[in-house]
Amino acid sequence: MKITGGSFGVHGKAYVGQDNRLYINGAVEKSFAASEVASVNSEVNKETKFSVFSLLIGIPMLMLVGWLVFGPMGSLIGLVIAIAGSFYSKKTIKADVLFHGGEKLAVEGWNSDIQNLVRFAATK
């Protein structure tokens, strides 16, 4: 998991090792047992954006294909598909970890990594 903030800096990696310890390699390197974790809060942020570049590429291609296959109505269908296809979403999964000593850790990672972190904290 990528470290994004907290008591250990804003860069680095954190992972749950096979020996059931949380290893943090940031500005400060440290490891924690599950009993030292006070809480873990995780969240998923989904952000939808519009890509003008994708639209500018998609309009001529899809309108031409639509025109060749279905005529003028196909061109209109191609335009609608190009506009709808220009939206994209980005999903980030984040977790905030609070330790009994008052230290904090903010990480971002894959769903499986965050799930391992939550399971790790639950094995007190």
Side-chain angles (χ1 to χ4, degrees), residues 6-62:
S7 305
F8 305 97
V10 294
H11 295 291
K13 301 279 183 193
Y15 62 94
V16 178
Q18 291 182 346
D19 58 348
N20 207 28
R21 291 187 68 82
L22 176 63
Y23 291 95
I24 300 170
N25 297 323
V28 176
E29 293 186 12
K30 208 167 183 182
S31 69
F32 294 93
S35 61
E36 297 176 82
V37 176
S39 67
V40 176
N41 296 318
S42 57
E43 65 181 33
V44 176
N45 294 327
K46 189 173 182 182
E47 185 178 348
T48 302
K49 292 187 176 182
F50 184 78
S51 172
V52 174
F53 179 74
S54 176
L55 180 67
L56 293 176
I57 297 296
I59 283 178
M61 289 184 356
L62 293 173

Side-chain angles (χ1 to χ4, degrees), residues 84-119:
S86 296
F87 288 95
Y88 67 96
S89 62
K90 180 181 177 186
K91 183 171 93 170
T92 55
I93 304 170
K94 298 179 179 184
D96 295 319
V97 183
L98 180 63
F99 298 98
H100 287 296
E103 295 169 307
K104 298 177 183 179
L105 174 67
V107 292
E108 182 179 305
W110 297 100
N111 186 35
S112 59
D113 294 334
I114 302 298
Q115 293 298 330
N116 285 339
L117 179 61
V118 171
R119 273 189 233 109

